[in-house]
Every structure is written in structure tokens, then in C-alpha cells.
Amino acid sequence: MYLCIKLTDLCVSPAGSICLDHRCPRLEALEEFESQRVVLALYKALGSGDVGNVQRLVASDLEWWFHGPRSKQNMMLLLTGETTCESYRLKPVYARAMGNKVFVEGQADTGKETVDDAHYWVHVWTVKGGKLTHLREYINTAVTVMKRTRNNCSTVWQSTLWMAIHQKNSLPSLVLAI
């Protein structure tokens, strides 16, 4: 029996040892790249109305968690086909992958111009096996992601787009620990 490994999957430490486990920085970077690629492909498919590609990318048992006004549950309406990309356009502005999690922030283009109608969102996706398996959706909410280690807690990502949209209005804030 032979084990085949692509050279790009190998990490060599400064001491010269070869790393093949999940903590290998190069493997983590590949996982993050692939996770972000899957998520961005979903937004592209949603924007073009490519239902087949949406179905290929989203797990049939997607777990969805929502924080915001019920009237703004537009991602679920898009994913279930209850609304179309003509009536609700997602405009992703920023994406950051950390392992199999991808944090995306953006705004909705509903054709309304006022700040009161502004719709800012953060989506936190989990990618497993090339499929989107979990979505946490935050509407008009400032999100901070913290990584907890044995001795401390540090901020690894913070949404910022909401400040440009809601310049003088404050928003509810959440801290997510990963």
C-alpha cells in the first residue's frame, strides 16, 4: 500500500521535520483558502441565480442561526427560493477565513436609500467537505470574534462596515468565542 501526498500538503519545520497533522500552518492555509473559495462561490451563484450551484454548495441539512429582526431573514429566503436575487442583492464587502469558518460582512441592496432602511449583515459559515454546513447570520449587529487560548483571549476579527452605514447610530454587539 502506498500513501500519496501532494507536495503542497507538506510542511517542513525550521528544524527540518515534516508535518502532516491538522496544526500544520500550510495545511491550515489550504483549508482556509478552500473554505473561503466555497463561500465566495455561493455568493456568486446567488447573485447570478445559479440554483444548481447553490444546491451543490449548501448541505441539505444546513444548520441556520439568525440574530436580527424577523423581517430581515433574507438569506434563508434566498436559499429556499422564496425570494430572488432581483428583489434582494447581497453585496459582500469583506471575507476572512479561519480554519473551516468564514466570516463575511456586507450589506443588502434593496433599492432603499435611507440610513434607517440600511441593512448590514455578518455571515459566519462553516465548511465541511466542500459543503456549507452551518450559517450564523447577524443583521445590523456589530460582531467581534475572539480566540481563547490557555492564558488569554485575543480579538481575531471585528466587523467594521456597520460603522460606515450607521455612522451615528449604535448597534447591538456580540462577541463570538472560537
Side-chain angles (χ1 to χ4, degrees):
M1 178 188 289
Y2 293 95
L3 176 65
C4 296
I5 301 170
K6 294 178 190 174
L7 289 178
T8 56
D9 292 345
L10 293 174
C11 275
V12 179
S13 73
S17 61
I18 295 177
C19 165
L20 291 174
D21 69 358
H22 67 279
R23 289 166 293 181
C24 176
R26 193 171 291 163
L27 289 178
E28 285 177 4
L30 288 172
E31 177 184 33
E32 290 171 355
F33 175 81
E34 178 60 17
S35 296
Q36 188 164 323
R37 186 195 66 74
V38 169
V39 169
L40 295 178
L42 173 72
Y43 289 109
K44 182 177 179 182
L46 286 170
S48 65
D50 185 350
V51 175
N53 213 13
V54 170
Q55 290 174 339
R56 185 182 64 74
L57 294 166
V58 178
S60 60
D61 60 345
L62 174 74
E63 182 180 314
W64 175 64
W65 187 89
F66 179 82
H67 180 271
R70 289 181 159 235
S71 64
K72 305 282 187 189
Q73 295 180 359
N74 296 308
M75 177 55 90
M76 191 50 61
L77 295 175
L78 279 170
L79 292 175
T80 58
E82 293 180 48
T83 192
T84 64
C85 60
E86 285 83 32
S87 61
Y88 179 80
R89 287 207 178 274
L90 294 169
K91 291 177 17 183
V93 175
Y94 179 82
R96 164 112 190 255
M98 284 181 266
N100 68 343
K101 300 261 190 274
V102 181
F103 304 88
V104 184
E105 67 177 321
Q107 62 189 83
D109 182 2
T110 59
K112 297 181 179 177
E113 301 293 326
T114 68
V115 172
D116 293 335
D117 292 324
H119 179 141
Y120 158 78
W121 49 263
V122 173
H123 295 155
V124 181
W125 296 94
T126 302
V127 181
K128 290 184 183 169
K131 293 256 189 195
L132 298 161
T133 59
H134 296 84
L135 167 61
R136 292 187 179 264
E137 183 174 18
Y138 304 93
I139 304 298
N140 291 344
T141 303
V143 177
T144 300
V145 180
M146 312 271 311
K147 185 172 187 174
R148 185 173 178 213
T149 59
R150 178 179 266 186
N151 297 326
N152 70 353
C153 205
S154 60
T155 300
V156 292
W157 184 79
Q158 188 169 20
S159 58
T160 57
L161 184 61
W162 68 271
M163 289 183 266
I165 297 170
H166 296 277
Q167 295 168 354
K168 295 181 181 173
N169 301 335
S170 63
L171 292 178
S173 297
L174 287 174
V175 175
L176 305 178
I178 59 167

